[in-house]
């Protein structure tokens, strides 16, 4: 089962993908997480990626496509995968189709977590992430049991450098311009399902899981 989870910044892609990956036993591939790891490790690619991410801009297609292609070729992806944050441009969507053709895989479903803009701003500016295991929290909507400490691994929580109000606004504008058009790309292929993401985390998850259980392969 190959699932693409899409939606604007802060819609809950990562939160839902973490739960769906457990439910359906699929590897969770988040391009944002891949780039944040590269930044943390201080690799050349990480240094380049940080410049784009801190401005709220997308990383150039050829870099992202190369990384995803390599990741999808690993054996753990042969039975399925959950893609979070990729594709994000029409060029990336087309490249994904080509890569999947080569690997003899195909997309089972594209789910779009739909949330309005004011809600997204509140979610992003209140987000906190574990420095150690990457678990996601929210100061108000999903707080840790102990302030600033991860429930799972006792790691320290931090605020992503692109979660400041100005960068958030830039990310939302770029989403509208560059990512929103791929909805049409998938609607034409009959793969697309819109999910109302402006509800609590468990309600959104129940809907997503329900839809994906009905999806074959
Ligand atoms: P990426 O990391 O993918 O960021 P994003 O798309 O902006 O999305 P987020 O991760 O911010 O939000 P999310 O939808 O995962 O929400 P979350 O579950 O955390 O990309 C970052 C950057 O990397 C990009 O800007 C770009 O530079 C680069 N990049 C990555 N992929 C790329 C690509 N393919 N091409 C080019 N560049 C790329 O939830 C958000 C908050 O809300 C959390 O605090 C959470 O606890 C809370 N929350 C979640 N669900 C709910 C709910 N139902 N109710 C209340 N609160 C909720
Ligand atoms: Mg995310
Ligand atoms: Zn943790």
């Amino acid at each position: 089962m190959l699932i693409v989870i899409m939606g604007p910044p802060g819609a809950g892609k990562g939160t839902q993908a973490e739960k769906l990956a457990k439910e359906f036993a699929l590897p969770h591939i988040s391009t944002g997480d891949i780039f944040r790891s590269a930044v943390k490790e201080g690799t050349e690619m990480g240094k380049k990626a940080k410049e784009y991410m801190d401005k709220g801009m997308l990383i150039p297609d050829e870099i992202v496509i190369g990384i995803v292609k390599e990741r999808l070729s690993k054996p753990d992806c042969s039975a399925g995968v959950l893609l979070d944050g990729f594709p994000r441009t029409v060029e990336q969507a087309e490249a994904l189709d080509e890569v999947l053709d080569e690997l003899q895989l195909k997309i089972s479903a594209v789910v779009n977590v739909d949330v309005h803009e004011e809600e997204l701003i509140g979610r992003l500016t209140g987000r906190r992430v574990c420095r150690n295991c990457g678990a996601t929290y929210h100061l108000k909507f999903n707080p840790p049991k102990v302030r600033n400490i991860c429930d799972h691994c006792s790691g320290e929580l931090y605020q992503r450098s692109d979660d400041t109000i100005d960068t958030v606004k830039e990310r939302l504008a770029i989403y509208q311009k560059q990512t929103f058009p791929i909805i049409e790309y998938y609607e034409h292929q009959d793969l697309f399902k819109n999910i109302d993401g402006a509800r609590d985390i468990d309600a959104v998850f129940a809907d997503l899981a329900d839809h994906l259980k009905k999806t074959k392969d």
Side-chain angles (χ1 to χ4, degrees), residues 10 12-15 31 36 57 85 88 92 127 137 171 199:
K13 301 182 294 294
T15 302
T31 41
R36 277 183 292 278
M57 289 165 68
R88 237 177 163 95
Q92 291 181 17
R127 170 166 54 192
Y137 297 87
R171 286 161 62 200
R199 296 169 298 156

Side-chain angles (χ1 to χ4, degrees), residues 4 51 62 115 121 125 148-149 153 158 168 176 181:
V4 173
E51 286 176 27
E62 60 274 18
V115 179
I121 293 175
T125 51
N148 275 331
I149 303 290
C153 75
Y158 78 106
V168 161
Q176 281 303 332

Side-chain angles (χ1 to χ4, degrees), residues 22-197:
K22 266 192 209 133
E23 176 82 16
F24 293 96
L26 293 170
H28 170 200
I29 300 180
S30 152
T31 41
D33 287 348
I34 292 174
F35 290 123
R36 277 183 292 278
S37 298
V39 172
K40 199 170 156 190
E41 285 159 22
T43 62
E44 274 313 304
M45 195 263 285
K47 283 179 199 153
K48 241 191 247 168
K50 188 169 169 37
E51 286 176 27
Y52 291 97
M53 291 167 91
D54 282 350
K55 288 188 199 133
M57 289 165 68
L58 295 186
I59 290 158
D61 285 335
E62 60 274 18
I63 299 180
V64 191
I65 290 164
I67 286 169
V68 172
K69 188 170 178 182
E70 199 184 309
R71 182 62 188 89
L72 285 175
S73 313
K74 301 243 163 89
D76 67 322
C77 295
S78 58
V81 66
L82 194 55
L83 281 176
D84 157 12
F86 181 92
R88 237 177 163 95
T89 61
V90 173
E91 288 73 16
Q92 291 181 17
E94 288 167 353
L96 177 62
D97 283 345
E98 277 171 34
V99 172
L100 294 178
D101 252 6
E102 279 170 33
L103 296 169
Q104 293 184 309
L105 297 169
K106 66 180 174 57
I107 298 176
S108 320
V110 176
V111 286
N112 182 52
V113 183
D114 191 17
V115 179
H116 58 89
E117 193 158 317
E118 302 92 278
E119 171 77 15
L120 295 171
I121 293 175
R123 286 189 188 182
L124 289 167
T125 51
R127 170 166 54 192
R128 295 294 181 272
V129 182
C130 174
R131 219 177 264 292
N132 183 44
C133 75
T136 299
Y137 297 87
H138 190 282
L139 293 178
K140 206 156 101 195
F141 307 133
N142 184 23
K145 292 194 181 90
V146 181
R147 198 170 164 265
N148 275 331
I149 303 290
C150 177
D151 292 351
H152 307 296
C153 75
S154 301
E156 180 205 5
L157 305 189
Y158 78 106
Q159 183 171 30
R160 268 171 49 176
S161 58
D162 60 347
D163 277 348
T164 57
I165 185 73
D166 288 344
T167 312
V168 161
K169 286 189 174 158
E170 187 59 28
R171 286 161 62 200
L172 291 170
I174 285 185
Y175 167 80
Q176 281 303 332
K177 204 167 138 208
Q178 293 186 269
T179 307
F180 190 76
I182 67 175
I183 290 181
E184 205 179 317
Y185 182 85
Y186 287 120
E187 269 175 344
H188 284 149
Q189 297 180 33
D190 256 355
L191 289 165
F192 185 80
K193 170 85 177 167
N194 217 28
I195 301 281
D196 175 10

